[in-house]
Amino acid sequence: MTAFHAPASPAPAGAATPGSVTRAAGAVAAAPGLLRIGTRGSALAVSQTTTVAEAIARATGVDVVLVIITTHGDVSRAPLAQLGGTGVFVSALREALVAGECDLAVHSLKDLPTGPCDGITLGAVPVRADPRDALCARDGMTLATLPIGARVGTGSPRRAAQLLARRPDLQVSDIRGNVDTRLARITDDLDAVVLAAAGLDRIGRSDAISERFPLHAAPPAPGQGALAIEVRSTDVALPVMRRALAALNDPRARAEAIAERALLGTLEAGCAAPIGATAAVEGGTLTLSATVYRLDGSEQLTAAASAAWDAAMPDAAAPTELGRRAAEELLARGAEQLAPLGGTR
């Protein structure tokens, strides 16, 4: 193993002395006083997993090592909508977790399939980063100032539909690759690309953003900006795991994520479905707004629902019911006529 990134700040008074955070070059055997976190190997995945690892090391005092797992989504260049659903970035990490090759797995929550996974529990959802989409355009242009017929790249059918709904004159191209690869296209064959603001912020590329889209105008993918920490169901009660998960979990972010995922699951929507959703806790109310688009952006349906919520409530019941209510309203109003629903989850 090689040193990767150690927490610089001292532990609070009375807290455990922070453990080390390292990155492994290969497989790592289980050992007392060590937690292994599975992650994809992209710069973004490693950056966000390192933040999680540092929080665990501070809270528990144990050493933490990042174990890099390659997923099918990392090696395939096919459009995401053709790769078999939202689990394309998740399945290899889950297999490694179940096989005992790591003790936790860190995912971008929007990549998680909505159905349950045997033997695995959603252990924590940390504080959510900026959920908005970001336009990265040449010369600092915004969506409104892009020239007629401008070429904009995105790998997301939702983003494509939203762009065309607001600017039907645009030429929207399907693109793949990591953040730097996509940004490089701006000076090559594209005028702009659309990416998640959270990802750009996490890897220090906020300077590439020329506009952050308002949530009401471009609702993001359910779970965008949030992380999901998964753990083997049999390990949740272990004392060190309880401390680690308690240090990571944010009840508000978790409730918002569960509501958005319940919406997606009820709609039976996969990654090919252009659906945007945003949940937010304000005061004692959890509100969810969701929009389903026709793929060409020519038509859309929006539904909203609210429910009472506080951090002392069971963390799944109210958000799950809220997501179902909003989805059922969309279905009753004809969402299946607009978008490819009932697909892989």
Side-chain angles (χ1 to χ4, degrees), residues 69-159:
I69 309 293
T70 300
T71 75
H72 180 49
D74 294 317
V75 297
S76 174
R77 295 298 92 193
L80 286 178
Q82 298 177 12
L83 286 181
T86 51
V88 67
F89 294 116
V90 173
S91 58
L93 283 168
R94 284 179 163 177
E95 289 166 7
L97 183 59
V98 170
E101 297 170 13
C102 57
D103 304 304
L104 305 102
V106 178
H107 312 278
S108 291
L109 195 141
K110 66 182 177 62
D111 293 336
L112 281 188
T114 55
C117 182
D118 290 343
I120 291 178
T121 295
L122 177 62
V125 178
V127 173
R128 193 174 192 172
D130 188 345
R132 291 175 292 179
D133 281 336
L135 183 75
C136 303
R138 62 179 175 85
D139 304 323
M141 289 187 290
T142 66
L143 185 62
T145 60
L146 284 172
I148 298 296
R151 300 158 298 174
V152 182
T154 175
S156 161
R158 171 190 60 82
R159 289 174 178 152

Side-chain angles (χ1 to χ4, degrees), residues 4 40-50 178-180 202-203:
F4 183 64
R40 294 168 59 197
S42 70
L44 173 57
V46 170
S47 175
Q48 61 196 24
T49 302
T50 298
N178 61 31
V179 171
D180 287 332
R202 283 172 174 146
I203 64 170

Side-chain angles (χ1 to χ4, degrees), residues 23 82 121 129 140 148 152 164 177 198 203 222 237 248 261 279 292 316 337 342:
R23 175 177 172 180
Q82 298 177 12
T121 295
I148 298 296
V152 182
L164 292 170
I203 64 170
L248 294 171
R261 283 169 53 74
V292 177
Q337 305 303 313

Side-chain angles (χ1 to χ4, degrees), residues 117-319:
C117 182
D118 290 343
I120 291 178
T121 295
L122 177 62
V125 178
V127 173
R128 193 174 192 172
D130 188 345
R132 291 175 292 179
D133 281 336
L135 183 75
C136 303
R138 62 179 175 85
D139 304 323
M141 289 187 290
T142 66
L143 185 62
T145 60
L146 284 172
I148 298 296
R151 300 158 298 174
V152 182
T154 175
S156 161
R158 171 190 60 82
R159 289 174 178 152
Q162 290 173 337
L163 287 167
L164 292 170
R166 299 170 69 188
R167 286 285 306 270
D169 61 285
L170 296 177
Q171 300 180 45
V172 180
S173 301
D174 185 81
I175 58 172
R176 286 294 313 277
N178 61 31
V179 171
D180 287 332
T181 298
R182 297 187 189 206
L183 290 176
R185 297 281 297 272
I186 300 170
T187 56
D188 184 10
D189 61 328
L190 297 173
D191 296 297
V193 297
V194 180
L195 299 167
L200 291 161
D201 292 340
R202 283 172 174 146
I203 64 170
R205 295 304 309 271
S206 304
D207 60 334
I209 299 174
S210 53
E211 180 183 10
R212 295 177 190 246
F213 293 152
L215 291 175
H216 71 272
Q224 184 164 301
L227 299 180
I229 317 302
E230 290 195 317
V231 60
R232 286 184 293 275
S233 301
T234 53
D235 290 351
V236 172
L238 296 175
V240 68
M241 195 65 74
R242 285 205 309 268
R243 294 199 304 275
L245 297 176
L248 294 171
N249 192 63
D250 179 68
R252 172 177 173 168
R254 189 181 185 109
E256 293 170 355
I258 288 172
E260 293 171 13
R261 283 169 53 74
L263 168 100
L264 203 61
T266 304
L267 291 175
E268 298 187 353
C271 62
I275 296 170
T278 231
V281 173
E282 293 187 9
T285 301
L286 174 63
T287 299
L288 172 66
S289 177
T291 302
V292 177
Y293 298 84
R294 195 177 290 282
L295 284 168
D296 63 3
S298 62
E299 192 174 355
Q300 61 192 61
L301 283 172
T302 297
S306 298
W309 180 87
D310 67 62
M313 297 170 65
D315 69 358

